Amino acid sequence: MAGRERDRELLLPVVAGEHVAVDEDDSEPTTPVINAGPPPPTTSARVLHLHHHPTGIEAFSRVIRSWAWKKFMSGCVILLPIAITFYTTWWFIRFVDGFFSPIYVHLGIHLFGLGFVTSITFIFLVGVFMSSWLGASLLGLGEFFIKRMPLVRHIYSASKQISAAISPDQSSRAFKEVVIIRHPRIGEYALGFITSTVALRGAGVRGDHQDFACVYVPTNNLYLGDIFLMSRADVIIPDLSVREAIEIVLSGGMSVPKIISAVEGAGGLGDHCRAVKDS
């Protein structure tokens, strides 16, 4: 009897949690009764459980957060340039005011802005004096000694060239005229500045000299660039002032006007040249 029950256990596998009902008196096994738990969730039920749809409160909270973030960034975009402008202006006023304000403080005069007005007046008087023959002579004498100093002469020369680029005096200005040249390939144009003119001997058709314009094309802001010797007939003269062209270069092209008209053309293209760009 015990052997038959052993064979019955080998023939009928019992799963964990299952109970097999066997008659005690009957030698033949009955149909096993399996007590199973609830059926496992299907794949679609698990997906629905994982991808829980947000409730109305959660959706409203997301809309409010998105709206608040957009308005906050809009406020930053509006206030940032205003704050930078006011901070730079305030720093400039304090910087210029600091030249003469210690003198007034030493005299017992505590009035903010008085040093700034004095500095502006002093700069104006220096410009008037240097425009005279005596001032130009003194400036030339000072430059003579400065150019004899090993390190100072390089700093002075570089700073003088930068300041000469925006000088209102046409004769002493480094950038004399704004031009547009074909560069670097056909169909592409670059904005440049005429800094000087040069005569190249033996370059003409009959062996005589040919005049070239020295065109400076900025490649990194305004202080680094390439120099090209080009014939006057190969450049386009736009209706832009030197100051406007400098603003275009420094702003990365953001301040370029919508329409640039050509005053003089290159090879017949100037009369029909119209450069339309977004400002």
Side-chain angles (χ1 to χ4, degrees):
M1 190 69 179
R4 295 185 63 181
E5 290 182 358
R6 177 65 179 172
D7 295 337
R8 195 178 293 118
E9 291 176 359
L10 294 176
L11 291 174
L12 298 175
V14 180
V15 184
E18 297 177 352
H19 176 72
V20 180
V22 181
D23 293 337
E24 296 180 355
D25 298 335
D26 192 3
S27 61
E28 294 297 327
T30 60
T31 304
V33 179
I34 301 176
N35 297 327
T42 60
T43 304
S44 59
R46 288 197 298 267
V47 171
L48 292 175
H49 179 72
L50 293 176
H51 298 280
H52 176 65
H53 293 285
T55 61
I57 298 177
E58 293 177 352
F60 180 75
S61 177
R62 290 180 182 178
V63 172
I64 291 298
R65 288 199 301 266
S66 176
W67 177 83
W69 176 253
K70 290 181 180 179
K71 297 304 178 182
F72 177 78
M73 292 304 298
S74 299
C76 290
V77 170
I78 295 174
L79 293 178
L80 183 61
I82 298 176
I84 293 176
T85 302
F86 275 98
Y87 178 79
T88 305
T89 305
W90 178 254
W91 174 86
F92 176 76
I93 292 176
R94 290 178 59 89
F95 175 75
V96 178
D97 183 77
F99 288 106
F100 288 95
S101 59
I103 299 177
Y104 292 108
V105 172
H106 183 71
L107 296 175
I109 302 175
H110 301 276
L111 182 60
F112 179 77
L114 187 58
F116 177 79
V117 175
T118 307
S119 300
I120 297 299
T121 306
F122 176 75
I123 294 173
F124 173 76
L125 294 177
V126 168
V128 173
F129 177 71
M130 290 302 172
S131 300
S132 63
W133 175 83
L134 181 60
S137 301
L138 292 177
L139 180 61
L141 182 62
E143 289 182 346
F144 175 79
F145 289 106
I146 291 176
K147 291 180 180 180
R148 296 298 184 273
M149 300 180 183
L151 180 62
V152 179
R153 62 182 180 183
H154 299 290
I155 301 175
Y156 178 78
S157 299
S159 59
K160 184 180 179 181
Q161 290 175 2
I162 295 173
S163 61
I166 57 175
S167 174
D169 188 5
Q170 182 70 25
S171 60
S172 62
R173 191 165 58 189
F175 298 157
K176 304 184 182 305
E177 203 170 5
V178 183
V179 295
I180 297 176
I181 64 173
R182 295 187 182 94
H183 176 74
R185 292 181 293 271
I186 298 177
E188 297 183 6
Y189 298 87
L191 192 68
F193 303 90
I194 293 181
T195 56
S196 61
T197 57
V198 60
L200 184 61
R201 294 181 178 177
V205 180
R206 301 178 180 178
D208 53 354
H209 70 276
Q210 185 177 357
D211 294 332
F212 288 94
C214 185
V215 180
Y216 173 75
V217 178
T219 56
N220 185 4
N221 290 332
L222 193 64
Y223 313 112
L224 297 177
D226 299 327
I227 299 175
F228 300 94
L229 297 179
M230 305 187 66
S231 175
R232 187 77 181 189
D234 295 332
V235 299
I236 301 173
I237 308 298
D239 58 344
L240 291 174
S241 64
V242 174
R243 181 165 300 179
E244 290 175 341
I246 291 177
E247 292 178 357
I248 292 173
V249 173
L250 294 180
S251 64
M254 291 185 291
S255 62
V256 66
K258 293 184 178 180
I259 298 178
I260 301 178
S261 301
V263 179
E264 297 180 14
L269 294 177
D271 297 335
H272 306 283
C273 176
R274 295 293 183 271
V276 180
K277 301 179 182 179
D278 294 334
S279 59

